[in-house]
Amino acid sequence: MSVGFDHEWDQSRVGAADQRVDMRLNGVDGPGGPLAPGGAGNFGSTPAEKRAAANTIETELEPNTKKATEHADEAMNTAVAGFEGWDTAIGLKKVADTWDKQVKNLMGRLSSEKGALRSASGLFVRNDIGLGDQFRPIGAQSKLNGL
């Protein structure tokens, strides 16, 4: 019985693969983009903004995503049980499995982004201090100091 669903699903995927997908940016920060000479010059963000973004991921996005996932899982399980013995139940189960994998990937991505935001500002500060330390001996030995 599941052959009908699988065949229809394969046909839908083939049709979707044939569609052309384009992406267009709404604009750029300057004539050549944010990093080009003459660009906006607002690369990056402050450590406080990075912390705020990481906190938003932790306090809003992750818990709300988990809550929405649990709600969808409950509804899907009810639907699968309601269609027990039908090809529809098999199809819904496949959709639920795909959904669970996608949610797991999303939660992993959110966690990675949160960690990256929290460590990025420290990395930039350490790089700035390290570069400054490298230039100090050059300035101390310069013959231009007395001019």
Side-chain angles (χ1 to χ4, degrees), residues 46-122:
T46 66
E49 290 171 320
K50 286 179 178 60
R51 276 191 305 276
N55 289 338
T56 298
I57 290 172
E58 184 172 4
T59 61
E60 294 179 31
L61 296 179
E62 287 177 326
N64 290 340
T65 301
K66 187 174 191 260
K67 195 182 311 179
T69 299
E70 290 167 355
H71 177 72
D73 284 344
E74 290 171 14
M76 184 63 77
N77 291 338
T78 301
V80 169
F83 286 106
E84 184 68 33
W86 293 55
D87 286 346
T88 303
I90 295 168
L92 288 173
K93 183 67 176 129
K94 285 184 180 183
V95 169
D97 291 344
T98 301
W99 167 264
D100 289 340
K101 289 175 188 171
Q102 290 173 339
V103 167
K104 183 178 178 181
N105 287 339
L106 174 61
M107 294 299 288
R109 178 75 186 268
L110 287 171
S111 180
S112 294
E113 295 297 331
K114 177 179 63 178
L117 284 165
R118 288 197 169 136
S119 66
S121 61

